[in-house]
Amino acid sequence: MKFLPNFFPRASLSHIFLCFPDPHFKARKHKARIVSGTLCAEYAYVLRPGGCIWTITDVEELAGWMASRFRAFGRLGGMIGEGEEGEGGGGTAGEEEEVREGVDGEGMFERMQVPEEGEEEKWKDREVGMLVRCMREETEEGKKVTRNSGKKFVSVWRRRADPPWPGE
């Protein structure tokens, strides 16, 4: 993923899907996770303002980890360093919801609301509903999690516009 900008020009993608990434449970392997402070920079570079990163996992701890990285990226003093990532922080999806919004200003990504499972067809934004349903039901891993009666944790992150340069 670190070579993503070599293949896609700046602001050229509208959507990025990260479906059921490997959780890398051991702390020494956290640097191999597909969402990190460094990779958030790569995603922000290739994603156009208003574009979305769609994530789904069946591991609650990983959902919290990804949310904390997207939430912190681009905030003043909010960037989570690589050394901190190796220590296993991030918490669960429930714990990351308790993080106060806007503590150090807005980050580069904002979290969008997603429909509950089974409510996708009635969702106000039909495209979001359709894409969330496809991630939950049409991916091979999604079908496997459903067969095993597991939970799925979906989040959608919209890239904010670039901040103006000082003096503009």
Side-chain angles (χ1 to χ4, degrees):
M1 293 306 253
K2 68 182 181 180
F3 298 111
L4 201 60
N6 295 345
F7 297 101
F8 298 101
R10 184 170 194 262
S12 62
L13 300 179
S14 298
H15 301 282
I16 296 174
F17 293 87
L18 304 175
C19 298
F20 299 98
D22 190 339
H24 295 288
F25 290 113
K26 294 180 180 177
R28 64 185 170 85
K29 293 288 191 176
H30 283 185
K31 63 184 175 213
R33 286 184 170 175
I34 200 163
V35 175
S36 67
T38 304
L39 290 176
C40 282
E42 307 299 334
Y43 301 142
Y45 180 82
V46 298
L47 200 61
R48 69 170 177 76
C52 294
I53 297 179
W54 305 74
T55 68
I56 184 169
T57 182
D58 57 336
V59 180
E60 187 175 13
E61 178 189 343
L62 182 60
W65 168 280
M66 292 189 294
S68 68
R69 275 33 184 198
F70 283 124
R71 182 173 283 118
F73 181 74
R75 275 193 187 159
L76 286 175
M79 179 86 158
I80 298 173
E82 294 304 317
E84 294 174 53
E85 288 182 348
E87 296 171 10
T92 63
E95 288 170 346
E96 62 86 13
E97 287 296 332
E98 296 173 9
V99 175
R100 281 189 16 228
E101 290 292 324
V103 171
D104 294 314
E106 294 182 341
M108 184 61 72
F109 297 100
E110 66 178 320
R111 190 173 197 160
M112 295 175 53
Q113 285 194 324
V114 294
E116 296 295 324
E117 197 157 1
E119 299 293 316
E120 295 93 345
E121 300 300 322
K122 303 172 197 162
W123 192 247
K124 57 188 172 221
D125 185 341
R126 306 246 334 135
E127 180 185 27
V128 170
M130 178 196 65
L131 291 172
V132 168
R133 185 193 64 74
C134 286
M135 286 175 36
R136 283 181 176 143
E137 299 174 9
E138 302 301 328
T139 61
E140 289 301 315
E141 191 71 19
K143 291 175 184 178
K144 183 175 121 183
V145 172
T146 300
R147 273 194 313 269
N148 295 329
S149 302
K151 286 185 172 181
K152 299 174 205 157
F153 303 93
V154 177
S155 63
V156 181
W157 297 88
R158 181 183 294 137
R159 185 190 185 285
R160 291 189 169 110
D162 291 328
W165 284 93
E168 281 187 8

